[in-house]
Amino acid sequence: MSQQGYVATPPYSQSQPGMGGYPTGFGPPSSQPLYGHYSGTPHSYSTPQPAGTLKSAAPVNPPVSAVSPPSAHNPFNPNNLQNGFNGCQPQRFHSPLPVSSQGPSFPPYSNSPPASYQGPASAASPQQVANQFGSMQISSYGPGVNQNPQMLHSPPPQTSFPAQPPQRMPPPALPTGPLGPTASPVGPVGMGSLPSPPPGGMQCGFPGPNASNTGFQQQLPVQTHAQGYPSQQRGGYGSQLAGPQPSFPGAFPGGPAQLAGPQQKKLDPDSIPSPIHVIEDDKTRRAGQVYTTNMRGQVPPLVTTDCGMQDQGNATPHFIRCTSYCFPSTSDMAKQSQVPLAAVIKPLAVIPKNESPLYIVNHGENGPLRCNRCKAYMCPFMQFIEGGRRYQCGFCNCVNEVPPFYFQHLDHIGRRVDYYERPELSLGSYEFVATLGYCKNNKPPNPPAFIFMIDVSYSNIKSGLVKLICDELKILLDTLPKEDQAEISAMRVGFVTYNKVLHFYNVKSNLAQPQMMVVTDVEEMFVPLLDGFLVSFQESRSVINNLLDQIPEMFANTNESETVFAPVIQAGMEALKAAECAGKLFVFQSSLPTAEAPGKLKNRDDRKLVNTDKEKTLFQPQTSIYENLAKECVANGCCVDLFLFPNQYVDVATLGLLPLLTGGTLYKYNNFQIQNEGPHFLSDLRGDVQKQIGFDAIMRVRTSTDLGFRATDFFGAIYMNNTTDAEMAAVDCDKAITVEFKHDDKLSEENGALIQCALLYTSVGGQRRLRVHNLGLNCSSHFADLYKSCETDALINFFAKSAYKALLSQPLKTIKEILINQTAHMLACYRKNCASPSAVSQLILPDSMKVLPVYMNCLLKSHILVGSSEISTDERAFQRQVVMSMGVADSQAFFYPRLIPIHTMDTSSETLPSAVRCSEERLSEGGIFLLENGLNTFLWLGVSSPPEFIQGIFNVPSSTHVNTEATSLPELDNPYSKKLRAILNSTKSKRLHSTKLMIVKQREKPEMIFRQFLVEDKGLYGGASYMDFLCCVHKEIRQLLS
Ligand SMILES: [Zn+2]
């Protein structure tokens, strides 16, 4: 980064006031302090005060009432759940509360397995549904989705130089992708429909090697469905299965399934679309290639395919992925299809080392150039006209004067001659150096700070956690993030310890010893020192190291088991505010904050509420204090990262609100033990301290508003103060914001749908920057174009976030019904509009959504939505929160785990064995399998695992000798051990959290924990098998079509 090559010519300046759309100056909404505050009357911070107990004299302001941002539109009305197909309103979740979530632990390693667990070889097999499928057949149709002919930028229409009077021109016609308006609808080629075969027979071969380029059709018999699912109008397939043959064993949301009915002939699971097949096929076709973004509306490679990316005018998929790269032209079409139109944006995504970093454009005092009307920033969608003296905005069509400093001639094809020298003209993503108008109070920001706030109550001392953190920080503080070219980090650091009271430390470099200041008045939190609290590690190294050595000893004999929490956050926020900088708090908390203080919490966990209308209350915060505090944190650029070490319920739903609303991250280590969880915690902490991050950020997504669509909803670790700007006290490279779009008007096929995401933030070096990502999508009035351009992985990301957000306001049952219903609508619309006529008994899926049903089923069965009281509330809240800020790659792996047959690995090659489908069917007694989903990692050992592997990996003669208590693998010097550890490291490097390894043996009790991740099978906590779900969806589709 930091190629300052684009310094513009000097100031013909044109004043560049605040940020058009953004509020200028982001002061906190004046006069809304919460409790205890650095408020109006300036506090005197004279000199560092000597150690000892200080008493606050800060003025107290009454708590201010909660500010629930109005996400009011779209109140969900259950009566809207229509089955009627045409003209349905897209179903929406409505959430009265702002985003939130949290969650705790890994559930029940309970000794009593859920009733439904019937041993490794039981249940879940798809056998029982055999009679539902008279036959299933797959045939191919039409061309595949992804032919992406490489095209050069097409020359924009040339305008003659000596000017004609300004005229409004059609916006630039960007090259269109293969899915342009001329593309003809592609539907499945009708398969010779088979006579309905006898029940129980399911003849379907999966298509040959080229199959995933093709759509497929399945023929399902009509009659066997009749008794299957209860009619969906009454809430989907419930747990009560009517009829003599419950054909839908793992029904939602019901309890353990019963296996009733006659044993069926075994179905061939290969007959239904395989995620592995789809993933591998995309790899075969596209891995190793360079994906260039020179065309509007291209469908990128899947997230699971390793591909180089080259920015040629549109943001690469590192930064933006969409649910569809071709939007429907009209809102009516969008409503009919019910395909959500959304972008998953990771604004600070890491760019791989072998790709070009982002350029930084510096226009000096002129600041970024933007459209006078819609305030969009200069980008490849602006078209220069009249010999280069004006340009027409691609977003609003407004014709703007080119300011003198920016003038440049056009070449013979009408393109500025400096086209390739200016990133903002030729690239999809770049940064501008922001001018003072983009800074808080028109002052350049100070470099951000990190404050480490360590809970030193009894359990953290006893577990050794406090010492572990202190020892690690001594090393870690040398690796604080810095600007690319900087020698040392500009960031400052500060330290607080706490239990029922707070201890601040003066670590000024000229002190011989650190000084401690205690604040006991947690009702009126204030920071007892300014000078010496936030310091440079380089300058204060010896004092800080001294402090970190002393902390574990100072509290070694503590008996204090109660903690406060909100005052800790308040203190950190006040410290940043007083130092006039943004920053992040690293909070290490072990228990529910029950000490008398603002934000005191009680244990309100009640799993009896699961699956009732009151379930949502489990995920709502206990008190409004946390949301108010989060709002104040965001206004002051104070991000909160929360590391939880719970031994019991800690109300993740409430505590987690702070990281969630401030752009922070939540980590959770249940029953923390140094030897097991220590390495993973340290790995997470290192990653968290070192990762790329921006502070005091605000993101706006502009669209061709006047031309038809706009952003309507945002999901992520963000705070929405209004309806258009996502605010984040900090945003790091892993955080993704999912943005939903709606039509205002008709979109033009010629102009397409343009998206510009602008993120204003403060860099780790204290520079105010504006990062811009541009992406052009196609538009079409043909359903086939829409369906060809969908990305199922992005769809699932959207569905997960919108459903998890809805959890705060809707009963689970309703949420699941909506998801199922919408899935059926999307597929039925395809069937109706794109597929060639065929028997209604055939299930026809668009190629791009072949695996939508299996992924959707995984979402429905996720811990958050499955609605089982056996899963801890904290764990559900935790997972919910983690998913809310996930990008597409992370959500894909989370919902459909990677299951890798280790026993097939080739120790002499670099390549990873191909994953297999997540089903018990794929396991074998003689196998060893690695399963991971980003939050859990398992190594499953079959009863007759190959001894040479066991010996190589564990250094014991057979699997019976393997110690399943171990949470990591021994480091042995042999090819098996090296290769497996390399695989583990490689998967770990791609994931958000470090996870401990669980070793499970086939047919031993802990295997059930592993089995819940075999997501194609019937769920242990409820939830249908893939096969059953497919039948259910097919039935819904048929109802919609009938
Ligand atoms: Zn404009």
Side-chain angles (χ1 to χ4, degrees):
M1 209 182 272
S2 276
Q3 312 215 3
Q4 303 272 3
Y6 293 90
V7 180
T9 45
Y12 300 97
S13 81
Q14 177 185 344
S15 68
Q16 181 67 50
M19 319 186 36
Y22 301 133
T24 12
F26 306 62
S30 52
S31 83
Q32 299 238 326
L34 294 180
Y35 52 90
H37 199 259
Y38 255 66
S39 60
T41 31
H43 223 49
S44 64
Y45 291 110
S46 40
T47 50
Q49 310 180 39
T53 302
L54 302 181
K55 181 75 175 151
S56 152
V60 186
N61 292 300
V64 160
S65 60
V67 192
S68 291
S71 43
H73 54 92
N74 279 326
F76 177 77
N77 174 355
N79 298 327
N80 281 349
L81 256 188
Q82 305 172 32
N83 287 316
F85 181 53
N86 283 311
C88 270
Q89 291 299 316
Q91 296 150 0
R92 291 305 315 265
F93 304 112
H94 162 60
S95 136
L97 290 173
V99 203
S100 117
S101 63
Q102 315 63 2
S105 20
F106 201 73
Y109 231 115
S110 72
N111 293 328
S112 49
S116 61
Y117 181 62
Q118 308 193 1
S122 78
S125 90
Q127 299 175 356
Q128 297 76 25
V129 290
N131 68 339
Q132 302 187 22
F133 292 78
S135 75
M136 178 181 279
Q137 181 162 359
I138 298 166
S139 71
S140 65
Y141 71 91
V145 178
N146 301 314
Q147 332 90 339
N148 289 312
Q150 306 290 306
M151 282 175 56
L152 296 175
H153 294 270
S154 75
Q158 191 169 6
T159 12
S160 59
F161 180 52
Q164 295 137 2
Q167 65 190 55
R168 276 174 80 94
M169 299 191 46
L174 293 181
T176 51
L179 307 168
T182 55
S184 56
V186 174
V189 168
M191 42 164 280
S193 75
L194 295 177
S196 201
M202 175 161 174
Q203 317 139 353
C204 52
F206 202 71
N210 296 322
S212 50
N213 246 344
T214 65
F216 79 103
Q217 302 183 3
Q218 300 172 342
Q219 183 169 12
L220 307 173
V222 187
Q223 58 278 53
T224 48
H225 283 265
Q227 317 166 304
Y229 320 97
S231 106
Q232 77 101 33
Q233 291 90 324
R234 289 303 340 136
Y237 41 117
S239 41
Q240 316 83 344
L241 296 173
Q245 295 191 13
S247 56
F248 194 29
F252 299 110
Q258 307 102 13
L259 300 179
Q263 278 298 304
Q264 309 296 339
K265 206 163 137 192
K266 192 176 167 72
L267 290 180
D268 177 6
D270 284 338
S271 59
I272 52 179
S274 156
I276 301 302
H277 202 285
V278 168
I279 289 168
E280 290 299 320
D281 181 69
D282 195 68
K283 280 183 186 165
T284 307
R285 288 185 298 118
R286 305 182 80 164
Q289 297 173 5
V290 175
Y291 174 75
T292 55
T293 64
N294 57 349
M295 261 183 315
R296 197 175 81 190
Q298 291 181 95
V299 181
L302 296 181
V303 274
T304 40
T305 299
D306 272 331
C307 229
M309 305 282 175
Q310 191 175 40
D311 183 342
Q312 291 194 4
N314 285 289
T316 66
H318 294 312
F319 299 113
I320 308 183
R321 285 185 172 269
C322 295
T323 54
S324 178
Y325 297 85
C326 179
F327 279 13
S329 308
T330 63
S331 65
D332 186 54
M333 225 181 124
K335 282 174 191 161
Q336 271 191 59
S337 73
Q338 295 210 9
V339 174
L341 304 176
V344 186
I345 305 174
K346 227 182 190 180
L348 295 186
V350 173
I351 302 174
K353 288 204 165 43
N354 57 354
E355 295 176 24
S356 318
L358 292 198
Y359 288 99
I360 301 182
V361 182
N362 190 342
H363 287 165
E365 291 178 3
N366 295 294
L369 196 59
R370 52 202 309 201
C371 170
N372 289 327
R373 182 153 169 245
C374 72
K375 304 295 177 192
Y377 296 91
M378 180 52 64
C379 69
F381 304 143
M382 304 298 183
Q383 189 185 6
F384 287 84
I385 55 174
E386 296 179 31
R389 290 180 303 152
R390 294 175 183 231
Y391 68 93
Q392 182 171 32
C393 175
F395 295 91
C396 72
N397 281 343
C398 174
V399 174
N400 295 273
E401 298 285 337
V402 174
F405 86 88
Y406 202 72
F407 175 79
Q408 189 52 267
H409 293 287
L410 306 184
D411 65 12
H412 65 286
I413 55 168
R415 193 155 69 183
R416 282 173 62 117
V417 298
D418 59 355
Y419 177 85
Y420 287 111
E421 287 146 38
R422 290 194 178 271
E424 75 274 24
L425 298 181
S426 48
L427 297 178
S429 301
Y430 43 85
E431 293 200 332
F432 286 112
V433 172
T435 43
L436 288 181
Y438 295 82
C439 302
K440 203 178 269 185
N441 306 322
N442 288 312
K443 279 166 63 182
N446 288 316
F450 281 167
I451 303 179
F452 298 91
M453 316 187 86
I454 308 170
D455 165 359
V456 289
S457 64
Y458 177 76
S459 76
N460 274 0
I461 293 289
K462 180 160 171 273
S463 70
L465 177 67
V466 173
K467 182 161 178 10
L468 188 71
I469 295 170
C470 290
D471 287 347
E472 179 66 20
L473 285 181
K474 283 186 267 181
I475 304 158
L476 200 49
L477 293 178
D478 262 325
T479 63
L480 296 176
K482 56 186 172 66
E483 296 284 5
D484 282 357
Q485 249 104 72
E487 291 252 317
I488 56 167
S489 173
M491 300 189 71
R492 290 174 294 165
V493 292
F495 304 89
V496 171
T497 55
Y498 67 94
N499 39 44
K500 271 162 79 173
V501 298
L502 278 74
H503 323 99
F504 294 79
Y505 298 93
N506 184 344
V507 285
K508 204 172 174 182
S509 60
N510 60 6
L511 293 175
Q513 281 282 320
Q515 296 175 340
M516 177 202 267
M517 272 146 252
V518 182
V519 175
T520 54
D521 189 350
V522 291
E523 294 290 330
E524 305 160 27
M525 187 42 60
F526 71 108
V527 182
L529 79 166
L530 256 195
D531 189 32
F533 179 66
L534 292 178
V535 298
S536 147
F537 179 62
Q538 271 70 28
E539 289 169 12
S540 292
R541 178 187 301 269
S542 68
V543 192
I544 291 174
N545 284 344
N546 190 328
L547 170 67
L548 294 170
D549 284 335
Q550 287 188 39
I551 288 175
E553 292 167 18
M554 276 190 290
F555 300 98
N557 298 317
T558 188
N559 293 319
E560 187 54 70
S561 59
E562 283 198 317
T563 56
V564 296
F565 184 78
V568 177
I569 308 297
Q570 179 84 19
M573 192 258 300
E574 298 290 357
L576 293 174
K577 190 169 157 188
E580 297 187 329
C581 68
K584 179 148 90 171
L585 313 181
F586 292 77
V587 186
F588 307 94
Q589 170 88 12
S590 64
S591 57
L592 196 67
T594 51
E596 203 52 56
K600 171 184 175 177
L601 298 178
K602 57 180 191 292
N603 185 337
R604 47 101 188 222
D605 189 18
D606 183 2
R607 293 199 215 163
K608 287 198 292 294
L609 299 182
V610 171
N611 271 321
T612 71
D613 283 354
K614 288 196 176 143
E615 182 169 9
K616 57 178 181 275
T617 61
L618 294 174
F619 300 97
Q620 294 166 350
Q622 261 189 59
T623 142
S624 62
I625 285 179
Y626 287 86
E627 194 196 334
N628 291 337
L629 187 55
K631 179 186 158 81
E632 208 184 351
C633 282
V634 172
N636 288 289
C638 172
C639 169
V640 179
D641 272 5
L642 179 55
F643 295 77
L644 288 172
F645 305 88
N647 293 317
Q648 54 194 355
Y649 180 75
V650 288
D651 200 346
V652 174
T654 302
L655 298 184
L657 206 56
L658 280 154
L660 184 63
L661 296 180
T662 63
T665 308
L666 176 63
Y667 299 90
K668 186 163 67 70
Y669 312 89
N670 298 331
N671 304 313
F672 181 83
Q673 290 183 301
I674 283 207
Q675 64 278 19
N676 293 341
E677 286 80 16
H680 306 289
F681 158 62
L682 290 181
S683 171
D684 286 341
L685 178 60
R686 281 177 210 132
D688 201 85
V689 165
Q690 295 166 355
K691 69 172 130 185
Q692 294 179 24
I693 185 169
F695 295 89
D696 208 4
I698 184 164
M699 186 181 101
R700 173 172 285 197
V701 177
R702 288 189 171 77
T703 50
S704 15
T705 309
D706 288 10
L707 310 176
F709 77 115
R710 65 192 160 89
T712 54
D713 212 349
F714 296 76
F715 309 89
I718 54 174
Y719 189 82
M720 299 293 293
N721 223 347
N722 55 42
T723 54
T724 53
D725 301 317
E727 293 182 50
M728 292 155 278
V731 52
D732 64 55
C733 55
D734 296 322
K735 296 286 183 297
I737 298 112
T738 301
V739 182
E740 188 183 15
F741 301 101
K742 288 272 167 60
H743 283 73
D744 280 335
D745 202 349
K746 193 173 180 336
L747 285 165
S748 122
E749 298 191 17
E750 184 190 356
N751 299 331
L754 308 181
I755 296 171
Q756 182 176 78
C757 162
L759 179 83
L760 177 64
Y761 72 97
T762 300
S763 72
V764 292
Q767 196 177 42
R768 203 69 175 145
R769 303 246 183 88
L770 192 65
R771 180 172 286 206
V772 180
H773 297 297
N774 303 287
L775 182 64
L777 307 176
N778 282 340
C779 293
S780 173
S781 55
H782 300 291
F783 281 108
D785 293 336
L786 164 68
Y787 281 96
K788 270 197 301 187
S789 306
C790 286
E791 182 174 328
T792 292
D793 295 330
L795 281 167
I796 289 298
N797 181 284
F798 170 82
F799 280 125
K801 291 186 183 183
S802 58
Y804 289 2
K805 185 178 180 182
L807 194 57
L808 293 180
S809 53
Q810 300 290 320
L812 268 189
K813 185 164 166 277
T814 311
I815 293 170
K816 291 196 275 194
E817 281 168 12
I818 291 173
L819 289 173
I820 295 164
N821 203 279
Q822 193 166 357
T823 304
H825 264 89
M826 288 161 63
L827 299 175
C829 176
Y830 174 82
R831 170 68 183 261
K832 184 177 170 193
N833 295 286
C834 307
S836 52
S838 54
V840 72
S841 58
Q842 287 181 334
L843 173 61
I844 300 178
L845 303 175
D847 189 64
S848 68
M849 293 183 187
K850 245 187 326 200
V851 292
L852 180 68
V854 60
Y855 285 179
M856 180 58 75
N857 190 38
C858 294
L859 167 58
L860 290 162
K861 291 200 286 191
S862 63
H863 282 180
I864 300 98
L865 296 186
V866 75
S868 163
S869 57
E870 298 190 51
I871 303 168
S872 90
T873 307
D874 270 354
E875 183 62 27
R876 294 173 73 199
F878 171 70
Q879 293 189 12
R880 171 173 179 270
Q881 176 147 346
V882 170
V883 170
M884 285 308 285
S885 58
M886 273 185 180
V888 178
D890 295 317
S891 56
Q892 191 277 337
F894 178 74
F895 289 110
Y896 196 89
R898 206 74 73 244
L899 181 60
I900 301 172
I902 293 301
H903 56 284
T904 66
M905 70 186 180
D906 175 0
T907 52
S908 62
S909 104
E910 293 283 296
T911 55
L912 224 65
S914 292
V916 297
R917 296 171 68 168
C918 292
S919 164
E920 186 193 315
E921 296 266 336
R922 310 289 157 170
L923 303 177
S924 58
E925 293 189 349
I928 298 174
F929 290 82
L930 179 70
L931 183 145
E932 65 91 23
N933 72 345
L935 286 184
N936 306 90
T937 309
F938 296 90
L939 192 63
W940 181 92
L941 309 177
V943 284
S944 36
S945 321
E948 68 275 19
F949 275 79
I950 296 292
Q951 182 69 47
I953 295 166
F954 297 100
N955 202 21
V956 296
S958 78
S959 63
T960 51
H961 295 82
V962 172
N963 172 18
T964 54
E965 301 294 304
T967 55
S968 60
L969 297 176
E971 296 189 14
L972 303 173
D973 187 18
N974 68 65
Y976 298 107
S977 174
K978 284 180 178 166
K979 173 87 183 184
L980 178 53
R981 284 181 291 119
I983 293 174
L984 281 168
N985 286 335
S986 128
T987 44
K988 181 178 148 189
S989 67
K990 293 179 187 153
R991 301 293 181 232
L992 300 175
H993 295 249
S994 171
T995 57
K996 75 176 176 187
L997 179 70
M998 280 188 63
I999 298 166
V1000 296
K1001 296 181 187 172
Q1002 187 180 13
R1003 293 178 202 156
E1004 289 189 3
K1005 199 177 256 177
E1007 195 196 13
M1008 62 165 277
I1009 297 176
F1010 164 82
R1011 280 169 46 90
Q1012 61 188 308
F1013 295 93
L1014 299 176
V1015 290
E1016 291 199 19
D1017 300 340
K1018 184 162 58 75
L1020 284 187
Y1021 298 118
S1025 72
Y1026 173 24
M1027 188 76 82
D1028 291 343
F1029 183 71
L1030 202 58
C1031 291
C1032 159
V1033 168
H1034 185 222
K1035 165 136 197 221
E1036 300 267 320
I1037 294 170
R1038 287 169 52 195
Q1039 282 188 359
L1040 292 171
L1041 293 172
S1042 63

